[in-house]
Amino acid sequence: MSKYILALDQGTTSSRAILFDHDGRPCHVAQQEFRQIFPQSGWVEHDASEIWDSQLAVARQVLRENGVPASEVAALGITNQRETVVLWDRASGEPVANAIVWQDHRSAAFCDSLREQGKGALFQKKTGLVVDAYFSGTKLKWLLDNVPGVRDRAERGELAFGTVDAWLIYKLCGEHVADVSNASRTLLFNIHTMRWDEELLALLDIPASLLPRVVPSSGVVGNTRAELFGAAVPIAGIAGDQQAATFGQACHHPGMAKNTYGTGCFMLMHTGREAIASSNNLLTTVGWQIGDRTDYMLEGSVFNAGAAVQWLRDGLGIIRSSDEVEALATSVPDTGGVHFVPAFSGLGAPYWDAYARGTMVGISRGTTAAHIARATLAAIAYQSADVLEAMQRDAAIGLTELRVDGGAARNDLLMQFQADVLGVPVVRPMVTETTALGAAYLAGLAVGFWHSQAEIGAQWQVQKRFEPAMPEDERHARLADWRRAVSKARDWLQHD
């Protein structure tokens, strides 16, 4: 009898595999980091073969170390870093260039030209996205235009494009598919017709032959090759990491919202079966598709959250591990007037400024590493507050609570400050591995491991609730100072 769902959680800095039981509890976890490649300022790449090798290794490890044969796994779910572009040879299955990561902004100038041509409204109407280098389409165009021989090979049908979900599925079972949530992040997919859009493909000069077949988020798309795990396992759930986390947080009804604190910070609000167009620089995106029902979201993306803490560790060396940041930040009562805007690769929602760069203001002779650590955590909370304010204006829904997950959600200091600057309770669930859990739930629904979304929702439990305690006038004053600091970081790089 099948006892587990295996979730593959392919993130920006590491690949993980988690086995979940029928109660939605993570039983066993394996994780492996892989290289981050920075060829020049604003460029971020991954070796797609390293992504595959690390993901396969942790999947095998979690089964092997816990004595779980593949026959006890009912299905496999995949969740992944979104917008990252992989281009590979159909025959050999090998990448033809490094993957261009979602954080990469090399196509910013081309995005500028599209907006100057007045094409921004067209893309937003069809895809729900703003024209920005963040998304996959312009990254793919860059590869076609700049890697020798690639465009000719693409036009001959020899190459395949995919976001990371499609890449992993191709390596697992040979199918070339992507789910609707990942397709909706490419600038190439019409979220109203639920098809690749010929007009947008023509504008970006992308051959349709490159594109994967689009499938629902829950449903069997193929079986893993038996030699990978010792037996074939159905691949039955697929969703981009933020949509998966929203599903794992049981935000199944309009008005419910979650925030994931990972490398970036991503807030999604469920808006039902209606795609609400944003007037405040947010994204309208597909949440998931189950059967013939499509659920939509509003999303605000913060590019650098956990990445800012990693910079304290790797760039400044003021902490030895990311877990040390809370103790260091707690050693001082406040930031000492310091504001840090971690715009390492530009600013996401609601600013969408590819030319912003990291800025620290308010430094004095009394500033210490502890003040910088506290300012870094505050910056994560402030960026999320900017997003929520825009989200509430768009959806015309007053949020009653924010569900949180991701690595930094374990940080009590950050979660309390987040509640303070939002002015609404922040709720941390018992299971914070909600990204992987969402992929597991989508896979389990497809094979009858779980029978309904109501059954899944009943498994969600509160671990801790953080109530806002900051006076309203102080909250507004702090947010005003933050926004002054953001103004110093904006449009920093010289550009035409």
Side-chain angles (χ1 to χ4, degrees):
M1 181 178 176
S2 297
K3 300 178 181 178
Y4 303 101
I5 300 289
L6 174 61
L8 306 186
D9 183 358
Q10 205 300 299
T12 308
T13 58
S14 69
S15 297
R16 300 192 307 155
I18 305 180
L19 282 169
F20 289 93
D21 66 15
H22 195 269
D23 293 326
R25 292 178 303 210
C27 301
H28 311 291
V29 182
Q31 180 170 348
Q32 185 175 312
E33 292 191 358
F34 55 88
R35 281 188 308 152
Q36 307 296 301
I37 304 166
F38 307 104
Q40 62 187 66
S41 178
W43 291 28
V44 189
E45 297 179 354
H46 290 156
D47 181 333
S49 294
E50 288 184 14
I51 289 177
W52 163 242
D53 290 343
S54 62
Q55 189 65 79
L56 178 61
V58 292
R60 286 172 164 169
Q61 178 186 346
V62 80
L63 296 173
R64 181 182 67 252
E65 290 184 352
N66 297 285
V68 175
S71 59
E72 291 187 1
V73 178
L76 182 150
I78 294 173
T79 184
N80 56 282
Q81 54 167 314
R82 303 172 305 170
E83 297 95 17
T84 295
V85 168
V86 185
L87 192 60
W88 67 91
D89 182 292
R90 288 184 182 276
S92 70
E94 294 301 312
V96 298
N98 277 345
I100 302 182
V101 180
W102 58 272
Q103 298 162 311
D104 187 286
H105 275 80
R106 73 186 66 183
S107 60
F110 176 69
C111 292
D112 291 344
S113 71
L114 285 175
R115 288 191 296 269
E116 288 161 6
Q117 295 166 38
K119 302 299 184 184
L122 175 69
F123 278 93
Q124 185 169 25
K125 180 181 178 181
K126 291 190 172 195
T127 70
L129 309 176
V130 298
V131 173
D132 190 86
Y134 174 41
F135 302 107
S136 310
T138 61
K139 301 178 193 299
L140 175 57
K141 176 177 171 54
W142 189 94
L143 287 171
L144 293 173
D145 290 344
N146 290 277
V147 178
V150 157
R151 181 171 288 283
D152 288 342
R153 296 191 64 202
E155 306 221 340
R156 292 197 299 268
E158 297 174 8
L159 304 183
F161 149 75
T163 42
V164 171
D165 60 318
W167 167 241
L168 292 179
I169 292 166
Y170 194 85
K171 300 296 279 188
L172 285 165
C173 73
E175 294 289 333
H176 186 206
V177 301
D179 96 295
V180 292
S181 70
N182 281 291
S184 77
R185 310 295 296 189
T186 60
L187 279 176
L188 307 174
F189 186 76
N190 189 314
I191 63 171
H192 308 288
T193 65
M194 302 298 283
R195 290 182 172 86
W196 299 116
D197 192 281
E198 292 181 4
E199 184 178 11
L200 301 182
L201 289 172
L203 277 171
L204 297 186
D205 195 17
I206 291 174
S209 62
L210 283 172
L211 304 176
R213 177 170 57 92
V214 180
V215 297
S217 311
S218 183
V220 177
V221 298
N223 296 301
T224 64
R225 300 197 312 273
E227 66 269 20
L228 294 178
F229 305 118
V233 178
I235 302 169
I238 316 162
D241 51 10
Q242 303 315 316
Q243 289 97 328
T246 309
F247 199 80
Q249 282 277 35
C251 292
H252 298 158
H253 306 291
M256 300 182 76
K258 71 89 201 176
N259 202 18
T260 295
Y261 300 81
T263 303
C265 212
F266 300 89
M267 189 179 295
L268 276 74
M269 178 183 282
H270 193 298
T271 61
R273 302 193 74 172
E274 179 186 0
I276 295 177
S278 175
S279 302
N280 294 283
N281 289 326
L282 298 181
L283 309 176
T284 306
T285 196
V286 174
W288 48 78
Q289 185 181 54
I290 300 174
D292 60 358
R293 179 186 172 117
T294 302
D295 289 43
Y296 291 93
M297 311 278 147
L298 278 173
E299 176 176 334
S301 308
V302 171
F303 293 157
N304 291 288
V309 176
Q310 290 172 338
W311 178 70
L312 298 183
R313 180 193 68 191
D314 302 334
L316 295 188
I318 64 176
I319 53 175
R320 288 170 299 178
S321 73
S322 296
D323 291 341
E324 293 180 4
V325 69
E326 183 174 9
L328 180 59
T330 306
S331 69
V332 290
D334 53 44
T335 68
V338 174
H339 278 286
F340 172 33
V341 184
F344 302 131
S345 52
L347 287 168
Y351 304 104
W352 292 107
D353 184 349
Y355 302 101
R357 282 299 177 268
T359 303
M360 202 174 293
V361 297
I363 298 171
S364 70
R365 282 290 299 273
T367 298
T368 67
H371 292 116
I372 292 171
R374 193 163 185 125
T376 301
L377 296 182
I380 296 171
Y382 285 134
Q383 290 177 102
S384 296
D386 285 343
V387 170
L388 180 62
E389 183 178 304
M391 193 169 279
Q392 290 181 307
R393 287 198 301 268
D394 274 338
I397 298 172
L399 193 69
T400 56
E401 68 177 28
L402 181 68
R403 296 184 174 186
V404 297
D405 54 68
R410 298 191 298 269
N411 186 314
D412 283 4
L413 175 65
L414 172 58
M415 292 300 99
Q416 182 59 55
F417 191 71
Q418 185 71 88
D420 289 342
V421 297
L422 291 179
V424 299
V426 166
V427 184
R428 185 169 64 203
M430 290 293 291
V431 177
T432 57
E433 297 285 4
T434 53
T435 302
L437 179 58
Y441 278 149
L442 289 165
L445 276 175
V447 298
F449 194 79
W450 292 288
H451 297 291
S452 68
Q453 288 178 236
E455 180 185 357
I456 287 168
Q459 292 185 349
W460 189 88
Q461 293 179 303
V462 176
Q463 188 267 327
K464 188 167 184 178
R465 187 177 179 90
F466 299 85
E467 297 287 345
M470 186 180 289
E472 196 72 2
D473 57 347
E474 181 182 350
R475 183 169 77 87
H476 288 301
R478 290 194 184 214
L479 285 167
D481 283 346
W482 159 254
R483 286 161 188 160
R484 278 202 304 141
V486 170
S487 72
K488 309 297 183 187
R490 297 203 60 187
D491 205 32
W492 178 255
L493 293 185
Q494 297 290 325
H495 59 98
D496 295 331

